[in-house]
Amino acid sequence: MEDHEEAMREADEKAMPTRRAVLQAAMGTAAVATLLSSLYVGAGLIPRVTKTPENEPPQEGDILVYATGAKMNQPILTSDLAEGGPFQLAFPMDPKTRVIRNKEPKNTLLVLKQPPSSYDAKVAAHVAQGVVCYSAICTHLGCTVSLWDAAQKLMRCPCHGALYDPRQDRVVSGPAPQALAQLPIRLEGDQIVVAGAFLGPVGAQV
């Protein structure tokens, strides 16, 4: 009898590691399942961005219109721009539907005119008769570059003071890690028209 009980005890002891492993595996599986479930639920709570004409990026052929001021939503004419600055904030507009793509902050643009000979070769390749266009979204933290330094003829971000040179593909000073993305343009009469996609990443790059 004692021999039988001893044999049963030894069998239980041998089985314990296996039972422990099975229990740990089950607990691990449950934890993974819980995590996946929470991620699935969380994903369902994130609002989906629906693509509409208003939030599409600038399209080739779009016309630049004023983003602010008394002429808001009207086309910006080259004759409106004083050579040497300041810049104007703009949005792209589909010329056929008249839909303005102003529902996406990254579509905010700045457009200005400088002497054609003042641009470096890289920028000049996408300038139209001295008119240049850039993303207005600072590459530091995504603020809108909205200030003009008239003395230096530079574009300034109001949040942390990043300075951009519109004539060169560079940051003059401040925390911005890279220059604003240039948007190729062409002229159709006196109107400024998008001629291609942004030449670099738009928005915060940190």
Side-chain angles (χ1 to χ4, degrees):
M1 184 70 175
E2 290 180 0
D3 291 341
H4 178 70
E5 291 178 354
E6 183 65 25
M8 291 289 290
R9 203 162 33 247
E10 289 178 358
D12 286 342
E13 289 174 356
K14 289 179 180 178
M16 284 183 63
T18 302
R19 292 172 184 161
R20 188 179 297 114
V22 170
L23 180 59
Q24 289 175 342
M27 292 174 64
T29 300
V32 170
T34 300
L35 175 61
L36 291 176
S37 177
S38 63
L39 290 174
Y40 179 79
V41 173
L45 297 176
I46 298 173
R48 294 182 179 180
V49 177
T50 302
K51 281 291 183 183
T52 67
E54 291 87 351
N55 63 23
E56 285 184 341
Q59 304 293 306
E60 186 170 352
D62 283 354
I63 294 172
L64 300 192
V65 301
Y66 286 94
T68 61
K71 294 184 178 181
M72 187 170 65
N73 299 338
Q74 296 180 31
I76 299 174
L77 305 180
T78 56
S79 56
D80 295 341
L81 301 173
E83 187 171 83
F87 61 75
Q88 297 291 337
L89 289 174
F91 285 122
M93 180 185 74
D94 185 323
K96 295 180 180 178
T97 64
R98 313 298 289 181
V99 168
I100 298 172
R101 307 186 198 282
N102 57 5
K103 299 303 182 183
E104 167 54 64
K106 288 184 177 181
N107 287 348
T108 310
L109 308 169
L110 48 85
V111 59
L112 69 156
K113 184 189 295 183
Q114 297 287 306
S117 60
S118 67
Y119 294 105
D120 68 18
K122 184 177 179 180
V123 174
H126 306 284
V127 168
Q129 296 181 24
V131 180
V132 67
C133 182
Y134 289 98
S135 164
I137 306 303
C138 183
T139 62
H140 177 221
L141 292 179
C143 296
T144 300
V145 177
S146 58
L147 302 178
W148 176 248
D149 187 323
Q152 301 183 77
K153 299 188 184 303
L154 299 174
M155 306 173 293
R156 182 189 296 273
C157 178
C159 293
H160 301 97
L163 278 172
Y164 300 92
D165 188 341
R167 295 150 297 192
Q168 301 179 42
D169 184 33
R170 72 185 183 98
V171 180
V172 177
S173 65
Q178 64 187 67
L180 298 172
Q182 188 178 357
L183 185 68
I185 56 168
R186 66 176 187 266
L187 300 184
E188 291 183 0
D190 209 19
Q191 293 187 333
I192 304 164
V193 179
V194 176
F198 283 110
L199 301 178
V202 176
Q205 302 301 312
V206 295

